[in-house]
């Protein structure tokens, strides 16, 4: 194939309403802000991607505004005029010239993959080596902050067969109050559901030692990032003594982090997020490290909309083992979309399109309506 040049790159910030306030230890989401990436190529093909993070700067060190600025001022100029069909070369160019900025890079890598898939008539999953499963199990996060409301929400999800794995966001309250909340929910749902917690680094090791024990003893299946990513030695000790498996999430900010966590034995499960690794191809490098180290995998989300969710899904569906399923429910948290057809959730699973690219089309009218001006 001769060179097909990248002609222009646009980063558009959109603010979308959510179905309810979504309480995380570090932030309460009232809306979600997405950065939509549009890469236009000389053959008339446009690739779309998404760079989305949570709560401004509450989660990581890139914000929607910094992502847009850094793409416009630094990353797009490196790609314009380059070959759109050579994704290795394009991403190498970005990595050489720009440290970090994995969320921005992830949106760009997703858009290049979408364009290349459309060009070749292949879904992104096939560009990534091919899918080995039909669909992806999707967990739901119960984050209303109210025990009775959370139980009612879980019961409804079980009834309509949308989710049977529930993740509870804890850490912002007293440990004892959080444990009471979690145990009440597990008791109500029993064996009908898998209940897991995400502490988002909010405990210290002294709190986590006992809390992990209590959670494990009460049937909680998984404990996500109980303590700070900075306390590596503490993570190793917790991983050795917790009766419920420990998953690393915030601890992984790059593929290199994944390697050092594996080498230290700091977690038995890795949360995979395209935004934190630099794209759907980059996240598979973290998955390969985990596979080689015998660490189990979980497909994580940054509460992306349809585009970022399917960019993740196309990567996750190529994984031979995905023991802990995924949490790719971002589109279900939004009341509005900016694509013509929403991703399909059915029988506890997300379906991954088999049409070329990511399998999505931008709805120009809705994008114009929700874009920030
Ligand atoms: Mg998490």
């Amino acid at each position: 194939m001769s060179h097909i040049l990248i002609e222009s790159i646009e980063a558009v910030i959109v603010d979308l309403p959510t179905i309810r306030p979504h309480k995380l230890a570090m932030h309460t989401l009232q809306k979600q802000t997405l950065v939509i990436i549009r890469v236009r190529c000389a053959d008339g093909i446009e690739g779309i991607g998404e760079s989305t993070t949570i709560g401004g700067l509450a989660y990581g060190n890139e914000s929607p505004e910094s992502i847009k600025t850094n793409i416009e001022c630094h990353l797009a100029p490196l790609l314009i005029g380059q070959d759109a069909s050579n994704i290795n070369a394009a991403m190498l160019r970005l990595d050489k010239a720009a440290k970090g900025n994995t969320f921005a890079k992830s949106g760009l890598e997703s858009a290049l993959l979408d364009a290349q898939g459309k060009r070749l008539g292949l879904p992104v999953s096939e560009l990534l080596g091919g899918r080995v499963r039909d669909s992806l199990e999707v967990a739901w996060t119960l984050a209303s902050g109210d025990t009775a409301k959370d139980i009612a929400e879980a019961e409804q999800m079980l009834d309509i067969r949308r989710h049977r794995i529930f993740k509870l966001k804890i850490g912002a309250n007293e440990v004892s109050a959080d444990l009471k909340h979690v145990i009440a929910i597990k008791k109500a749902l029993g064996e009908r559901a898998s209940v897991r917690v995400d502490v988002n680094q909010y405990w210290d090791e002294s709190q986590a030692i006992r809390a992990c024990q209590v959670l494990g003893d009460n049937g909680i299946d998984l404990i996500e990032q109980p303590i700070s990513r900075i306390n590596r030695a503490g993570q190793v000790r917790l991983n050795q003594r917790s009766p419920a498996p420990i998953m690393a999430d915030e601890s992984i900010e790059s593929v290199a982090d994944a390697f050092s966590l594996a080498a230290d034995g700091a977690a038995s499960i890795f949360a995979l997020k395209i935004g934190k690794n630099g794209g759907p191809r980059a996240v598979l490098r973290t998955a390969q490290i985990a596979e080689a180290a015998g660490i189990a995998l979980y497909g994580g989300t940054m509460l992306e909309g349809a585009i970022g969710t399917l960019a993740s899904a196309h990567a996750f569906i190529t994984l031979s083992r995905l023991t802990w399923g995924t949490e790719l429910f971002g589109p279900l948290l939004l009341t509005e979309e900016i694509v013509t057809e929403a991703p399909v959730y059915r029988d506890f699973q997300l379906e991954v399109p088999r049409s070329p690219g990511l399998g999505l089309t931008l709805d120009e009218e809705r994008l114009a309506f929700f874009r920030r001006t």
Side-chain angles (χ1 to χ4, degrees), residues 336-349:
E336 303 284 346
E337 260 304 349
I338 43 126
V339 291
T340 54
E341 274 175 89
V344 177
Y345 292 86
R346 185 181 296 145
D347 261 335
F348 310 111
Q349 311 280 316

Side-chain angles (χ1 to χ4, degrees), residues 216-238:
D217 289 347
N218 281 278
I220 303 310
D221 288 327
L222 183 162
I223 302 167
E224 181 172 345
Q225 197 73 41
I227 65 172
S228 168
R229 68 185 303 272
I230 305 301
N231 186 359
R232 174 65 60 86
Q235 289 175 76
V236 173
R237 286 187 290 268
L238 275 182

Side-chain angles (χ1 to χ4, degrees), residues 285-303:
R285 291 198 281 275
T286 284
Q288 283 150 9
I289 289 167
E291 281 175 5
I295 292 166
L297 294 173
Y298 176 70
T301 182
M302 290 301 297
L303 304 177

Side-chain angles (χ1 to χ4, degrees), residues 35-101:
V35 185
I36 305 302
I37 315 294
R38 311 183 72 162
V39 174
R40 298 185 183 91
C41 309
D43 55 358
I45 287 176
E46 179 184 67
I48 55 175
E50 180 182 334
S51 295
T52 291
T53 183
I54 293 170
L57 289 168
Y59 188 94
N61 48 26
E62 287 171 81
S63 69
E65 297 77 14
S66 80
I67 289 167
K68 179 175 162 66
T69 301
N70 286 342
I71 288 177
E72 286 171 353
C73 301
H74 300 282
L75 304 179
L78 291 166
L79 294 183
I80 291 167
Q82 299 297 308
D83 181 3
S85 61
N86 190 336
I87 301 169
N88 279 340
M91 296 313 293
L92 262 175
R93 209 172 147 80
L94 293 186
D95 285 339
K96 241 181 172 172
K99 299 260 181 303
N101 287 278

Side-chain angles (χ1 to χ4, degrees), residues 167 169 198 200 224 249-250 273:
K167 170 159 138 179
K169 288 286 191 176
D198 186 359
N200 286 116
E224 181 172 345
D249 183 12
E250 283 90 336
K273 291 183 175 174

Side-chain angles (χ1 to χ4, degrees), residues 132-133 291 297 316-323:
V132 294
R133 55 189 75 235
E291 281 175 5
L297 294 173
F316 300 160
I317 207 161
T318 69
L319 294 169
S320 57
R321 287 173 69 97
L322 193 56
T323 309

